[in-house]
Amino acid sequence: MKFKALFTSLLLLGLAGCADKAVVTLQDGSEILVKDHSDYDKYNDYYEFEQLNGETILIKKDNVRFIKTP
């Protein structure tokens, strides 16, 4: 019984971890999968995203068509 409860809780934690992704679609049609949270630098017109592998990328605002969370 404890194994079933442990498995269920781990499954729910895993599903909750899947909810923090977003897809950034660029003007040229390419898509980048990033973590949901982004920072916007209004002085330099850049979005700062963290990719799923932990790398930080900067994308100019004019290059972003839209940001979609699945």
Side-chain angles (χ1 to χ4, degrees):
M1 184 68 174
K2 288 183 181 183
F3 177 73
K4 187 175 182 180
L6 178 65
F7 179 74
T8 304
S9 63
L10 288 175
L11 180 64
L12 290 174
L13 284 174
L15 290 175
C18 294
D20 64 345
K21 296 177 181 66
V23 178
V24 179
T25 303
L26 303 178
Q27 293 294 345
D28 64 0
S30 61
E31 295 180 338
I32 302 170
L33 189 60
V34 297
K35 291 188 177 179
D36 190 19
H37 179 71
S38 68
D39 293 322
Y40 178 65
D41 181 358
K42 66 180 178 181
Y43 298 108
N44 295 317
D45 281 342
Y46 277 96
Y47 284 104
E48 181 177 331
F49 295 100
E50 185 177 347
Q51 292 182 315
L52 298 180
N53 63 3
E55 290 183 28
T56 301
I57 58 171
L58 298 173
I59 303 175
K60 187 120 176 103
K61 177 185 150 191
D62 296 338
N63 292 338
V64 176
R65 184 177 297 167
F66 56 86
I67 302 168
K68 179 180 170 186
T69 56

